[in-house]
Amino acid sequence: MSKLSFILLTLFFAAASAFVPAGQVSKTTAFMPSTALQAEDMYWEGEYPPSKVLGPIMSKMPSGLLGMISILCLGSCVYSCVQSGVLQQEPDALQTGSWVKWYYVLGSFGGPLAWGTHVAAWIQRRNGM
């Protein structure tokens, strides 16, 4: 019981110390990051952002390819949801949880990916790529 008490007490003090005001911060630091490691400003004016907001890989992809990736991701999501619905119709599937398959769960992530890639395709199309 003393180990459990020690762990709980340590967790309590760790959580409480997160809300204590920080002490005096020194102005000198041993490590100064170079300007190459600092993030770029991603502010833009106008209706759509520049391609650089998509990152180093997607900013070089044409909008047609991003559109095709979006369609594939959406198809994966729809197929996974439909097949999960079919499996739910089996007897006792909801009680036992046998309708939950890892590959259908993985395929359901295609929905958010489809949304993101279609927005990336729109950005690229507006930027002439």
Side-chain angles (χ1 to χ4, degrees), residues 101-117:
K101 303 292 184 198
W102 68 269
Y103 38 89
Y104 294 146
V105 173
L106 185 65
S108 68
F109 287 114
L113 290 174
W115 177 83
T117 51

Side-chain angles (χ1 to χ4, degrees), residues 47-110:
E47 183 181 345
Y48 52 89
S51 294
K52 69 179 184 177
V53 300
L54 300 176
I57 296 173
M58 291 177 71
S59 65
K60 294 173 181 57
M61 293 176 132
S63 65
L65 178 61
L66 288 169
M68 291 303 296
I69 292 172
S70 178
I71 290 171
L72 289 174
C73 289
L74 182 63
S76 168
C77 179
V78 169
Y79 178 77
S80 297
C81 291
V82 168
Q83 292 302 330
S84 291
V86 169
L87 288 177
Q88 286 178 0
Q89 303 303 318
E90 293 180 2
D92 295 329
L94 294 176
Q95 287 79 14
T96 62
S98 64
W99 65 278
V100 178
K101 303 292 184 198
W102 68 269
Y103 38 89
Y104 294 146
V105 173
L106 185 65
S108 68
F109 287 114

Side-chain angles (χ1 to χ4, degrees), residues 1-18:
M1 187 65 177
S2 66
K3 288 182 181 180
L4 179 62
S5 299
F6 176 74
I7 291 172
L8 290 176
L9 192 61
T10 303
L11 287 175
F12 172 76
F13 283 119
S17 67

